[in-house]
Amino acid sequence: METGLTNKTVVVMASSKGLGKATALEFAKEGATVILSSRSETSLREATEEIKRLSGNEKVHYQTCDMSSSDDIAKLFREVHEQFGSVDILINNTGGPKAGGFEKVTDEDWYESFEKNLLSYIRTTRAVIPHMKENQFGRIINISSSSTKEVIDDLILSNTFRSGMVGLTKSLARELAPSNILVNTIGPGRIETDRIIELDSVTAEKQGVSFEDITNYQKSLIPIGRYGQPEEFAKVVVFLASSANTYLTGQSLVIDGGLLKAL
């Protein structure tokens, strides 16, 4: 399939590991210019070199950025625009918020999660829209969670702000469609990342059972019978950003191996 990504510039947020890193790798394999970003320069440097080696693409770069800092976000996109011109494709991504039910989270937790898991996406999107409008082309993909379709117990912060992300996506899709800017949300189900390991560990400790008992139970609920791999998720992100997608916008998709029931 021709993806049309060779001459595109892609910024992937929170991409030194996990789903962000896997997504950056798939874009690099397609020949795009890829800019990775996260807080840790050491992790970014290592991820960038690994992606160059695995993809054979030397057009892979990095820039540190704390997604909870408006100054960092502004600096990131200012430098990207100066070095690479306009951003064609923005992949919004952050680490998941603190786990816990309603009575376990504080006002500080709510404020922190809002800035990190919703306001950050607003800020990055605001930074790329002017150039996308000028070019009459853009793709914005918001990585969220399966909680956009069905809430997850003990993840009240994620359930709340990921749903807000869906509203943002739908509104932006309608506003930006005349400029050929497509906006979609894509949520992982149980994809085998550090985040899933963390959540399974928390659940195992809470229930007083082994980590293996929890993972085996969770896998038994998935029709495909296993956790997904990061590259399986990343390939769908690349499709949404590619020239193969010219009409799908304003949607909220979940990559979950059939776990969620039809809604």
Side-chain angles (χ1 to χ4, degrees):
M1 180 181 71
E2 177 57 47
T3 60
L5 293 170
T6 303
N7 297 317
K8 301 300 184 185
T9 298
V10 185
V11 174
V12 186
M13 308 304 297
S15 46
S16 64
K17 60 182 180 179
L19 296 179
K21 179 181 173 182
T23 298
L25 173 58
E26 291 303 319
F27 277 111
K29 287 179 179 179
E30 296 298 327
T33 297
V34 183
I35 297 93
L36 285 73
S37 182
S38 79
R39 291 177 297 178
S40 170
E41 183 168 5
T42 299
S43 297
L44 279 172
R45 187 184 305 113
E46 293 173 353
T48 298
E49 292 306 313
E50 180 182 355
I51 289 172
K52 285 181 178 179
R53 176 175 55 82
L54 293 175
S55 67
N57 182 352
E58 290 297 316
K59 300 183 296 181
V60 183
H61 313 272
Y62 72 85
Q63 174 66 48
T64 58
C65 179
D66 182 345
M67 282 288 274
S68 64
S69 168
S70 60
D71 290 341
D72 271 19
I73 290 173
K75 179 183 177 183
L76 166 65
F77 286 96
R78 182 171 61 250
E79 294 189 359
V80 168
H81 289 142
E82 289 173 356
Q83 294 182 46
F84 306 103
S86 61
V87 175
D88 301 299
I89 298 162
L90 170 64
I91 310 300
N92 274 321
N93 184 37
T94 61
K98 175 182 177 179
F102 183 78
E103 294 182 313
K104 294 291 181 66
V105 297
T106 65
D107 279 4
E108 288 72 22
D109 295 327
W110 282 105
Y111 281 119
E112 179 182 349
S113 185
F114 166 66
E115 186 156 46
K116 178 183 176 183
N117 298 109
L118 183 57
L119 185 57
S120 62
Y121 283 31
I122 295 168
R123 288 167 170 163
T124 55
T125 299
R126 187 185 291 133
V128 301
I129 283 177
H131 290 279
M132 288 183 176
K133 280 187 171 182
E134 183 178 346
N135 295 335
Q136 288 292 290
F137 178 88
R139 300 290 183 267
I140 300 171
I141 298 165
N142 297 318
I143 295 180
S144 60
S145 165
S146 63
S147 63
T148 59
K149 299 289 187 180
E150 184 175 307
V151 298
I152 302 172
D153 291 343
D154 293 319
L155 285 181
I156 186 69
L157 296 173
S158 179
N159 294 337
T160 301
F161 293 114
R162 303 302 195 187
S163 295
M165 196 183 299
V166 172
L168 174 67
T169 295
K170 286 183 171 292
S171 296
L172 285 173
R174 294 175 67 88
E175 291 183 27
L176 300 177
S179 297
N180 190 32
I181 301 171
L182 308 185
V183 189
N184 290 288
T185 292
I186 180 169
R190 290 199 159 264
I191 308 296
E192 203 162 18
T193 63
D194 290 345
R195 174 66 167 172
I196 288 298
I197 292 172
E198 174 193 355
L199 293 177
D200 283 353
S201 298
V202 169
T203 301
E205 182 178 356
K206 182 178 179 180
Q207 296 185 8
V209 299
S210 72
F211 175 80
E212 290 72 21
D213 286 342
I214 293 299
T215 58
N216 288 336
Y217 171 72
Q218 294 291 352
K219 290 174 184 177
S220 74
L221 301 177
I222 302 170
I224 289 182
R226 60 176 176 82
Y227 284 175
Q229 294 304 302
E231 59 267 28
E232 294 178 296
F233 178 88
K235 289 178 187 297
V236 182
V237 177
V238 169
F239 162 74
L240 291 174
S242 75
S243 60
N245 175 32
T246 56
Y247 202 63
L248 194 157
T249 191
Q251 301 305 304
S252 179
L253 309 177
V254 172
I255 311 304
D256 68 349
L259 173 62
L260 298 184
K261 297 177 181 179
L263 297 177

